[in-house]
């Protein structure tokens, strides 16, 4: 046991013996000096000077209570109340019965009674006090985030639960703080700058929690959680925090968004409250100002609705509640527009909730991976339909399907698509793939590789929602694509807003540069068609020609075209 506390010669731990009696000092030194680097002080004042000078290296103080100048009680009080000295354990020397308890209450680590017990006991007590203090520093470091010194997530939830128990579950509010566009801050100014920002926000939160009570932690690379007693005026308090944050981060140009779940008496676990606060936070857009949002009944209802959709998804696939609609795409380069292809768009006919549009469920399914199952269903249904049209009309109508960003990370994507195509005796060129532009910015190298490989197999790739992502011009030239699909928000106002029209012209120019056709979607009026034609757009999809149609109506459309051709 003793070996635990010994160190090599020259590296011994430093301890200070403070006692005005020469004999006492010498006796202790005799017991300890072969294990430790021992120093002495004769009174409290000298001791304090020594302790301050050696605050980073001193491992322990052995303190007599009765001394001239500054007595042991007062010195102990000073050490315990000083943030920098507090970590140094103090073992008190005492001959009075009863003073032990008082000293332990004042924060002494242990006591040694006079006259001294056997040297082994003294050594063990000293060694133990040092070990405990060092352990508690290690614990402190493991439970804290090294950069901000706030708790890390695991300890935060552990201590939060303890706090709940201590406070007999009196109301506690959960608050989530996210730094807006932190990734960009890091990318633009470098990591050490980002670290500074994190530290400043961490400090501001530390002060906030010190003020209002509770706990704070760093819960992610750009996010913080705080758990605080419930306040009716929390919004005001957070605004106070905003103004303090603004002062400290003025030149850093960063803003935060804050999501709050108020504890309004309903029983709920800490973790649950934070899930809700996080949801409220994510609903806020990452703008250029600080903002806050509460978890409310609207978010709750949406959450319940989404849960329902997730729960019902499997049955819906089994019972064919999902139907694939087809929206025709027309080539407008010739005098008369000509039906060339279509886009497959899914609809959900829910037995109780009625028709649900994809805008309501696609992102929900993307968040939990269910989208892969749905997309496979849509791809197979589409391939079957292409095959049927081919058999019925003796002509292939290529159809594009949406490939979610989640699908792209599926290692077997190529295999799955090839199986579907071959299973319906189609060529890869008949099933077009729409991939949204923003997917390319997620992990561009991996996506470029995947997409190149699909193209090598003969699939044609259309870049969907072009203009909404962040492709740079030089990245575009490297991207493997066969068509650009302009996002409909650029089309909406081209008749009234010349700037929007110029943008469309620029984007068609880019497509020409890349040598790929341009598809415009969301086209609703004759005026838009004319302008798009003038801008050099090749293909048009939109209500002007047709809404997405169920198979039967799409059949009727082909029949009509065929009869007009004849
Ligand atoms: P998207 O791929 O950009 O599809 C175009 C959306 O615009 C469709 O909405 C379509 O119905 C709508 N639209 C077409 N023409 C017009 C028009 O003239 N005016 C207006 N206002 N809207 C028009 P929809 O069907 O609600 O689909 C929304 C989004 O859901 C799609 O956007 C696509 O991102 C996604 N989506 C749809 N089906 C699938 C699918 O099977 N798989 C995946 N992963 N996503 C899908
Ligand atoms: Ca699409
Ligand atoms: Ca689109």
């Amino acid at each position: 046991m003793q070996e635990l506390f010994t160190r090599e010669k020259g590296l011994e731990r430093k301890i200070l013996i403070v006692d005005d009696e020469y004999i006492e000092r010498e006796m202790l030194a005799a017991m300890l000096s072969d294990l430790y680097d021992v120093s002495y002080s004769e009174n409290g004042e000298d001791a304090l000077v020594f302790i301050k000078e050696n605050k980073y290296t001193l491992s322990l103080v052995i303190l007599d209570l009765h001394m001239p100048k500054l007595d042991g009680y007062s010195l102990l009080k000073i050490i315990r109340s000083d943030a920098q000295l507090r970590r140094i354990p103090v073992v008190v020397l005492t001959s009075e019965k009863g003073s032990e308890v008082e000293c332990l209450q004042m924060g002494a680590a242990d006591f040694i009674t006079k006259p001294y017990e056997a040297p082994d006991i003294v050594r063990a007590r000293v060694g133990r006090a040092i070990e405990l203090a060092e352990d508690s520093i290690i614990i402190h470091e493991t439970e804290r985030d090294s950069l901000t010194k706030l708790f890390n997530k695991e300890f935060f939830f552990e201590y939060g639960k303890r706090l709940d128990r201590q406070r007999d579950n009196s109301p506690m509010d959960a608050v989530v703080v996210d730094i807006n566009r932190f990734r960009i801050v890091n990318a633009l100014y470098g990591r050490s700058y980002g670290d500074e920002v994190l530290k400043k926000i961490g400090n501001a939160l530390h002060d906030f929690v010190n003020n209002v009570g509770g706990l704070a932690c760093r819960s992610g690379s750009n996010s913080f959680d705080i758990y605080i007693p419930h306040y009716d005026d929390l919004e005001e308090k957070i605004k106070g925090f905003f103004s303090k944050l603004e002062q400290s981060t003025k030149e850093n140009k960063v803003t935060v968004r804050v999501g709050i779940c108020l504890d309004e008496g309903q029983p709920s676990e800490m973790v649950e409250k934070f899930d809700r606060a996080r949801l409220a936070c994510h609903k806020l857009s990452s703008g250029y100002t600080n903002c806050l949002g509460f978890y409310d009944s609207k978010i709750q209802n949406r959450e319940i609705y989404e849960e329902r959709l997730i729960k019902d998804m499997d049955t819906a696939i089994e019972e064919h509640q999902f139907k694939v609609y087809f929206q025709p795409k027309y080539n407008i380069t010739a005098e008369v527009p000509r039906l060339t292809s279509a886009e497959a768009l899914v609809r959900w006919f829910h037995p109780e909730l009625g028709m649900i549009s994809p805008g309501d469920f696609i992102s929900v399914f993307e968040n939990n991976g269910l989208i892969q199952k749905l997309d496979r269903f849509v791809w197979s249904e589409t391939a079957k339909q292409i095959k049927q049209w081919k058999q019925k009309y003796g002509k292939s109508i290529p159809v594009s399907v949406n490939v979610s960003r989640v699908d792209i990370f599926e290692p077997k994507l190529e295999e799955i698509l090839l199986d579907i195509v071959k299973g319906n005796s189609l060529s890869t060129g008949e099933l077009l793939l729409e991939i949204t532009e923003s997917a390319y910015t997620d992990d561009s190298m991996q996506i470029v590789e995947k997409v190149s490989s699909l193209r090598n197999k003969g699939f044609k790739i259309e870049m969907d929602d072009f203009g909404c992502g962040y492709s740079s011009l030089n990245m575009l030239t490297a991207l493997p694509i066969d068509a650009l699909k302009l996002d409909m928000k650029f089309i909406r106002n081209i008749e009234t807003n010349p700037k929007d029209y110029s943008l469309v012209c620029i984007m068609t120019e880019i497509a020409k540069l890349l040598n790929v056709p341009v598809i415009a979607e969301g086209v609703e009026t004759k005026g838009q068609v004319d302008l798009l034609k003038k801008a050099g757009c090749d293909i048009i999809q939109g209500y002007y020609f047709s809404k997405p149609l169920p198979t039967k109506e799409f059949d009727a459309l082909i029949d009509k075209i065929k009869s007009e051709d004849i």
Side-chain angles (χ1 to χ4, degrees):
M1 168 106 175
Q2 205 68 169
E3 287 71 32
L4 258 178
F5 314 125
T6 52
R7 278 191 173 178
E8 287 166 47
K9 201 88 203 120
L11 290 175
E12 296 100 340
R13 288 179 175 81
K14 196 182 276 188
I15 67 175
L16 175 70
I17 297 174
V18 192
D19 200 321
D20 55 331
E21 309 243 3
Y22 175 76
I23 299 287
E24 306 279 350
R25 293 201 303 263
E26 285 304 306
M27 279 174 67
L28 275 177
M31 293 186 234
L32 299 168
S33 59
D34 53 339
L35 296 176
Y36 301 103
D37 171 4
V38 181
S39 303
Y40 311 92
S41 292
E42 291 177 21
N43 62 60
E45 272 182 16
D46 288 356
L48 185 59
V49 173
F50 182 91
I51 294 168
K52 284 188 172 162
E53 278 172 2
N54 294 276
K55 61 181 178 235
Y56 298 118
T57 52
L58 195 58
S59 288
L60 179 98
V61 176
I62 299 179
L63 183 63
D64 181 31
L65 288 176
H66 301 287
M67 289 181 302
K69 297 198 182 166
L70 189 61
D71 69 18
Y73 289 107
S74 314
L75 182 57
L76 179 59
K77 223 182 238 169
I78 293 172
I79 295 175
R80 297 299 303 167
S81 58
D82 184 317
Q84 290 188 312
L85 306 182
R86 197 180 300 146
R87 64 150 201 97
I88 306 169
V90 177
V91 171
V92 167
L93 297 172
T94 168
S95 48
E96 300 152 47
K97 275 265 156 284
S99 56
E100 296 99 331
V101 178
E102 196 183 340
C103 291
L104 292 175
Q105 279 169 347
M106 282 169 69
D110 203 352
F111 55 86
I112 294 172
T113 45
K114 293 185 194 179
Y116 300 123
E117 299 162 292
D120 276 355
I121 298 180
V122 171
R123 285 190 195 133
R125 282 186 179 267
V126 167
R128 189 89 202 119
I130 293 176
E131 193 189 24
L132 282 175
E134 289 181 356
D135 281 355
S136 86
I137 290 173
I138 293 170
I139 290 173
H140 183 83
E141 277 170 5
T142 49
E143 68 185 20
R144 305 262 166 182
D145 165 52
S146 57
L147 189 70
T148 61
K149 304 287 180 244
L150 297 177
F151 284 119
N152 61 38
K153 213 170 161 182
E154 291 73 25
F155 283 90
F156 173 73
F157 279 97
E158 182 54 40
Y159 291 142
K161 278 186 237 158
R162 273 193 222 172
L163 202 62
D164 278 343
R165 281 197 297 274
Q166 268 171 22
R167 292 171 43 91
D168 207 14
N169 289 319
S170 52
M172 294 284 286
D173 296 336
V175 180
V176 166
V177 179
D178 270 7
I179 308 173
N180 292 323
R181 304 177 314 277
F182 188 60
R183 220 161 49 103
I184 300 173
V185 171
N186 260 338
L188 277 181
Y189 306 110
R191 277 196 82 87
S192 54
Y193 184 92
D195 284 353
E196 276 313 303
V197 169
L198 284 166
K199 274 198 240 172
K200 282 184 183 168
I201 295 177
N203 283 341
L205 281 172
H206 182 83
D207 292 348
F208 182 71
V209 170
N210 263 359
N211 243 325
V212 300
L215 302 165
C217 88
R218 178 158 175 217
S219 52
S221 56
N222 68 328
S223 63
F224 302 87
D225 289 358
I226 57 177
Y227 197 43
I228 50 178
H230 175 72
Y231 288 97
D232 286 336
D233 63 342
L234 181 63
E235 191 164 345
E236 288 314 306
K237 288 196 159 49
I238 301 259
K239 284 185 179 151
F241 161 73
F242 281 163
S243 66
K244 193 145 185 230
L245 184 70
E246 260 160 29
Q247 281 164 23
S248 74
T249 60
K250 209 180 283 165
E251 71 278 16
N252 295 108
K253 298 181 196 70
V254 289
T255 56
V256 296
R257 51 182 196 272
V258 175
I260 301 168
C261 173
L262 290 179
D263 190 335
E264 285 165 326
Q266 74 283 30
S268 58
E269 294 287 321
M270 179 185 179
V271 180
E272 208 173 28
K273 284 190 255 183
F274 275 98
D275 284 347
R276 292 175 171 176
R278 214 171 306 286
L279 201 67
C281 186
H282 292 169
K283 293 262 179 249
L284 299 167
S285 63
S286 65
Y288 290 86
T289 48
N290 294 318
C291 62
L292 85 160
F294 289 89
Y295 179 85
D296 56 14
S297 59
K298 210 170 123 207
I299 300 183
Q300 189 177 21
N301 290 340
R302 175 72 205 173
E303 218 187 349
I304 294 168
Y305 179 68
E306 290 182 358
E307 273 308 312
R308 170 93 193 261
L309 300 184
I310 294 166
K311 187 170 77 57
D312 292 351
M313 146 89 172
D314 278 332
T315 325
I317 293 252
E318 280 161 27
E319 295 181 353
H320 284 82
Q321 292 170 16
F322 290 107
K323 298 273 179 250
V324 181
Y325 276 40
F326 298 93
Q327 186 174 35
K329 296 181 189 171
Y330 283 80
N331 188 313
I332 54 157
T333 49
E335 192 57 43
V336 184
R338 193 170 41 84
L339 174 73
T340 53
S341 55
E343 176 176 8
L345 292 157
V346 70
R347 268 96 187 92
W348 185 350
F349 293 89
H350 192 287
E352 283 148 35
L353 302 173
M355 208 278 268
I356 313 175
S357 68
D360 260 3
F361 56 83
I362 295 292
S363 64
V364 180
F365 292 165
E366 274 181 336
N367 287 338
N368 57 23
L370 283 177
I371 190 71
Q372 292 201 42
K373 190 168 178 186
L374 178 63
D375 277 347
R376 270 187 225 184
F377 171 81
V378 173
W379 301 341
S380 324
E381 289 294 297
T382 304
K384 267 189 233 163
Q385 194 52 59
I386 301 172
K387 181 182 173 186
Q388 272 182 27
W389 282 328
K390 231 170 144 176
Q391 287 168 341
K392 190 168 170 191
Y393 300 109
K395 205 177 142 202
S396 171
I397 303 166
V399 181
S400 59
V401 290
N402 289 286
V403 176
S404 154
R405 70 185 68 217
V406 182
D407 297 316
I408 301 176
F409 293 100
E410 161 64 52
K412 292 194 177 140
L413 176 67
E414 197 171 300
E415 211 178 293
I416 293 165
L417 284 166
L418 284 172
D419 280 352
I420 290 174
V421 167
K422 282 183 194 148
N424 290 286
S425 321
L426 302 178
S427 71
T428 46
E430 290 170 281
L431 189 71
L432 313 174
L433 308 178
E434 292 194 12
I435 300 177
T436 122
E437 184 197 7
S438 56
Y440 284 85
T441 37
D442 282 354
D443 180 352
S444 37
M445 277 331 288
Q446 193 183 347
I447 290 175
V448 166
E449 255 173 50
K450 269 270 170 100
V451 173
S452 301
S453 165
L454 286 166
R455 279 182 92 218
N456 288 340
K457 291 281 183 304
F459 288 105
K460 298 266 177 285
I461 313 292
E462 295 182 355
M463 186 189 256
D464 203 358
D465 305 333
F466 181 64
C468 284
Y470 300 96
S471 312
S472 59
L473 262 184
N474 57 359
M475 182 182 155
L476 266 180
T477 55
L479 287 182
I481 44 168
D482 301 284
L484 278 189
K485 243 184 132 170
L486 304 187
D487 191 81
M488 65 179 88
K489 73 165 181 260
F490 296 106
I491 314 294
R492 202 172 297 139
N493 299 321
I494 49 172
E495 288 175 281
T496 47
N497 188 340
K499 276 192 189 149
D500 279 15
Y501 182 61
S502 309
L503 261 180
V504 167
C505 293
I506 291 167
M507 289 191 278
T508 39
E509 279 304 310
I510 292 173
K512 295 273 167 309
L513 211 78
L514 302 173
N515 210 13
V516 294
V518 181
I519 305 165
E521 70 180 326
V523 180
E524 297 183 350
T525 65
K526 170 91 170 65
Q528 288 170 340
V529 176
D530 291 342
L531 282 172
L532 286 163
K533 200 167 177 170
K534 204 168 107 197
C537 174
D538 307 279
I539 294 167
I540 280 184
Q541 173 185 347
Y543 296 168
Y544 174 71
F545 285 116
S546 167
K547 290 196 166 183
L549 304 170
T551 325
K552 256 197 188 153
E553 289 179 35
F554 202 95
D555 276 7
L557 179 77
I558 307 175
D559 287 337
K560 186 165 165 265
I561 293 169
K562 283 198 89 147
S563 67
E564 282 168 1
D565 265 2
I566 296 166

